Amino acid sequence: MNSSGHVTIGNNIYFGTNVVVLKGVTIGDNCVIGACSLVTKNIPANSVAAGVPCRVICSIDEYYRKRKQVALAEAVEYVPVSYTHLRAHETRSNL
C-alpha cells in the first residue's frame, strides 16, 4: 500500500482551523474549507465546503451574496447600539 499521495491546493484558499486533507485530493482555486473538515475527495474551484467528510455547501458567489445580506443586517443593528453607547460615554466624560 502506498503511504504517500499527491495533494494539489489551488490559489486563494482559506482553511479553517484543524482541517485534514487526505492524499490524492485536489482543491481548486478560490475555495473556503470550514473548520475541522476532513477533505477526502476533490473540491472544485470557487466552492465553499465543510464537514466530515467534507462536501460542497455552495459556490463562493452564493456565499458572498448570503454573507453580504447578513453583514448589512448586522451593521444596521449595530449602529444604533454603538451610537447610544458612545453618547452615554460622552455624557459621563463631561461630568
Side-chain angles (χ1 to χ4, degrees):
M1 182 172 190
N2 190 356
S3 63
S4 64
H6 187 71
V7 173
T8 305
I9 298 175
N11 295 314
N12 195 30
I13 305 297
Y14 175 81
F15 287 105
T17 60
N18 298 320
V19 171
V20 176
V21 179
L22 298 185
K23 63 183 179 180
V25 170
T26 297
I27 300 174
D29 294 337
N30 306 314
C31 289
V32 175
I33 309 297
C36 300
S37 293
L38 175 62
V39 185
T40 59
K41 295 181 181 178
N42 295 345
I43 305 295
N46 303 308
S47 299
V48 176
V52 177
C54 191
R55 63 186 174 90
V56 174
I57 297 171
C58 63
S59 73
I60 201 78
D61 293 328
E62 259 182 277
Y63 177 76
Y64 175 76
R65 282 192 301 273
K66 289 177 190 176
R67 187 64 201 133
K68 187 175 177 181
Q69 290 172 347
V70 171
L72 181 59
E74 288 171 347
V76 168
E77 183 180 313
Y78 180 72
V79 169
V81 172
S82 296
Y83 182 74
T84 303
H85 179 71
L86 178 63
R87 295 295 295 163
H89 180 70
E90 286 176 352
T91 304
R92 281 183 272 158
S93 298
N94 291 335
L95 294 178

